[in-house]
Amino acid sequence: MNEQPLLAHLIELRTRLVRALLGVALVFLGLFHWSGDIYHLLAKPLLDALPQGANMIATDVTAPFFVPVKVTMLVAFLISLPNTLYQIWAFVAPGLYHHEKRLVLPLVVASLLLFLTGMAFAYFLVFPVVFGFMSAVTPVGVSMMTDIDKYLSFVLGMFLAFGVTFEVPVVVILLVRMGVVSVEKLRQGRPYVIVGAFVVAAIVTPPDVLSQTLLAVPLWLLYEVGIFMAVFLGRKKERAMLEDRP
């Protein structure tokens, strides 16, 4: 593990931050021309569920410009995330031991992929079902027209909820590897996790049983995946230790 003066660390940190922000800015500038199309793609699950002839609305004068720009900035951040993570890794890695690098790097990559998978799960599976349900139960005489800014807030909240939910396997593996809890305790706590999953889903999702179930069930299943992976990695570690013995 290399030791460097504090000033050298600060200079390195500034360089890495500038490169990360520059990556986001370059991608954003490249996508800015298509910001309207990008927002339309984000809004497509709701637009497909709206009754024929219905549209989304903008109640703020500046919303038609700034909302698509916000969405484009989010997309630019996601696209440039590999570069951002590389800059963070390049700054942190020299201060880590070899065994720490072997643990941290796979977990970081897995966390990113799981978060993106959670967002994709919400967009492709949850949104069409939830919006279709909401459209079907809209009372007669009521026009279902959503403000584009409020829709963006809703979507970001759901993306965050499902993205964090899909991080459960990583959290379980970390807890087991750090010795905070054993696999047996995790198995014993399964009933509480199932109840807790529905409680969490009721808090972070819209007040309908369908969307809550679509979050709670994956949360429970991902908990089971985390237990399985913790057991698998534990056995793999034990085999490696036995092979290293003379």
Side-chain angles (χ1 to χ4, degrees):
M1 186 169 60
N2 300 326
E3 295 185 1
Q4 297 182 23
L6 177 60
L7 182 59
H9 279 297
L10 293 177
I11 294 175
E12 177 71 10
L13 177 60
R14 183 190 63 182
T15 302
R16 296 299 175 183
L17 286 175
V18 169
R19 290 178 180 177
L21 293 174
L22 184 61
V24 177
L26 290 175
V27 176
F28 172 75
L29 291 175
L31 296 176
F32 179 77
H33 177 72
W34 295 278
S35 57
D37 296 327
I38 293 173
Y39 181 82
H40 182 269
L41 184 63
L42 181 70
K44 193 174 186 303
L46 177 59
L47 293 174
D48 291 344
L50 290 175
Q52 187 175 5
N55 293 300
M56 301 179 71
I57 62 174
T59 56
D60 192 347
V61 175
T62 59
F65 173 77
F66 282 110
V67 172
V69 168
K70 292 177 184 178
V71 176
T72 305
M73 290 181 65
L74 174 63
V75 174
F77 173 76
L78 293 176
I79 292 177
S80 63
L81 200 53
N83 172 64
T84 303
L85 292 176
Y86 171 77
Q87 300 302 330
I88 296 174
W89 177 253
F91 177 73
V92 175
L96 299 177
Y97 293 103
H98 180 65
H99 69 278
E100 292 174 333
K101 293 180 182 179
R102 292 179 59 185
L103 175 64
V104 172
L105 185 58
L107 288 178
V108 170
V109 174
S111 298
L112 172 60
L113 294 178
L114 285 171
F115 194 91
L116 294 177
T117 302
M119 293 178 62
F121 181 85
Y123 181 83
F124 290 106
L125 296 179
V126 177
F127 289 173
V129 175
V130 171
F131 296 149
F133 173 78
M134 293 299 181
S135 179
V137 299
T138 300
V140 177
V142 176
S143 299
M144 184 177 174
M145 295 186 295
T146 303
D147 178 68
I148 60 174
D149 202 0
K150 291 183 178 180
Y151 175 76
L152 176 60
S153 299
F154 171 82
V155 167
L156 292 181
M158 293 292 284
F159 279 162
L160 181 61
F162 279 88
V164 172
T165 296
F166 274 63
E167 299 293 331
V168 169
V170 174
V171 175
V172 172
I173 292 172
L174 279 176
L175 291 176
V176 174
R177 291 296 294 268
M178 295 172 63
V180 176
V181 66
S182 65
V183 173
E184 187 59 32
K185 288 291 184 181
L186 291 173
R187 287 171 175 165
Q188 292 175 1
R190 183 179 286 117
Y192 303 101
V193 170
I194 296 174
V195 174
F198 280 92
V199 172
V200 171
I203 295 173
V204 302
T205 59
D208 66 276
V209 177
L210 186 60
S211 58
Q212 292 170 9
T213 302
L214 289 174
L215 178 60
V217 173
L219 183 57
W220 165 49
L221 294 178
L222 288 165
Y223 178 79
E224 300 293 341
V225 171
I227 295 177
F228 173 80
M229 291 303 299
V231 173
F232 174 78
L233 293 175
R235 291 175 179 174
K236 186 176 180 180
K237 183 179 179 181
E238 291 177 359
R239 287 196 300 267
M241 293 175 63
L242 290 175
E243 291 175 356
D244 291 339
R245 290 180 179 177

